[in-house]
Amino acid sequence: MNEDNLIEFEEIALERTFLAIKPDGVQRGLVGEIIRRFETKGFTLVGLKFMNVTRELAEAHYDVHRERPFFTGLVEFIISSPVVAMVWEGDGVVAAARKMIGATNPLTSEPGTIRGDFGVSIGRNIIHGSDAIETAQREVSLWFKDEELVTWKPQNTTWLYE
Ligand code: UDP
Ligand code: MG
């Protein structure tokens, strides 16, 4: 890879998204399957932690839904059992991850998506993914401290990017 390509790659690879495998995904043993999908797609893992979520964090994360009828149940669910919080990086990763996750209701998510392949109920839809670049920035900094994110360059980038 020459220096020009290196600069170009660093410019396109800055986008990051926040993903969380929810308690149902963890309890159903889908952690490996879900991580595998993002890894083999070609995105780069830059943050990962297995954790219990505090009520404060769950409420802050879903603040946009505070007035919705499902808010209380959603918060109770997210804090009920551990989650896997992750940050993934790559060109267009925010929108691409949403596509790989599928529609909010797993009954209408396309087969081939995570929710389409593994779920049947909107309140048990396995995984969260940031819905826009600005949301991703907010969620990454809500869930991760700067020092918990690992900036690194996978050796396969020349085979993933032109
Ligand atoms: N949710 C729910 N009932 C609803 C709508 C949403 O339980 O009628 C939950 C569901 O877990 C969803 C989360 O609230 O993933 C956030 O809703 P949003 O519309 O942001 O869906 P997402 O962005 O996760 O697809
Ligand atoms: Mg959402």
Side-chain angles (χ1 to χ4, degrees):
M1 185 186 271
N2 66 33
E3 203 175 297
D4 286 341
N5 283 340
L6 193 68
I7 290 164
E8 200 178 301
F9 170 75
E10 283 174 353
E11 280 172 5
I12 61 171
L14 287 177
E15 190 173 314
R16 289 177 173 181
T17 197
F18 171 73
L19 305 181
I21 305 173
K22 297 180 183 181
D24 52 334
V26 173
Q27 291 284 0
R28 291 180 54 207
L30 294 171
V31 170
E33 166 68 26
I34 290 170
I35 291 177
R36 184 192 63 78
R37 289 186 178 211
F38 294 100
E39 201 176 32
T40 54
K41 170 74 171 165
F43 292 128
T44 302
L45 183 64
V46 296
L48 176 72
K49 53 186 177 183
F50 185 51
M51 59 188 283
N52 283 124
V53 183
T54 62
R55 183 178 300 276
E56 185 189 14
L57 176 57
E59 288 183 352
H61 175 74
Y62 283 121
D63 190 56
V64 66
H65 296 308
R66 202 172 277 276
E67 307 306 326
R68 309 285 287 278
F70 58 82
F71 178 76
T72 307
L74 178 59
V75 168
E76 292 297 336
F77 172 60
I78 293 297
I79 68 177
S80 67
S81 184
V83 309
V84 176
M86 303 179 281
V87 179
W88 287 84
E89 185 178 76
D91 189 19
V93 68
V94 174
R98 289 284 290 191
K99 275 198 155 183
M100 292 168 68
I101 288 169
T104 305
N105 185 346
L107 285 180
T108 60
S109 312
E110 293 295 325
T113 65
I114 293 166
R115 288 168 175 170
D117 286 349
F118 301 119
V120 288
S121 158
I122 195 166
R124 298 289 182 272
N125 63 6
I126 305 159
I127 179 168
H128 166 84
S130 307
D131 63 7
I133 289 175
E134 302 71 44
T135 319
Q137 288 164 350
R138 173 188 174 272
E139 292 176 351
V140 168
S141 56
L142 181 65
W143 287 76
F144 285 85
K145 298 178 186 131
D146 281 349
E147 61 267 30
E148 291 174 325
L149 298 175
V150 180
T151 299
W152 64 294
K153 193 175 176 82
Q155 298 219 335
N156 62 8
T157 50
T158 48
W159 302 99
L160 280 166
Y161 293 94
E162 251 188 324

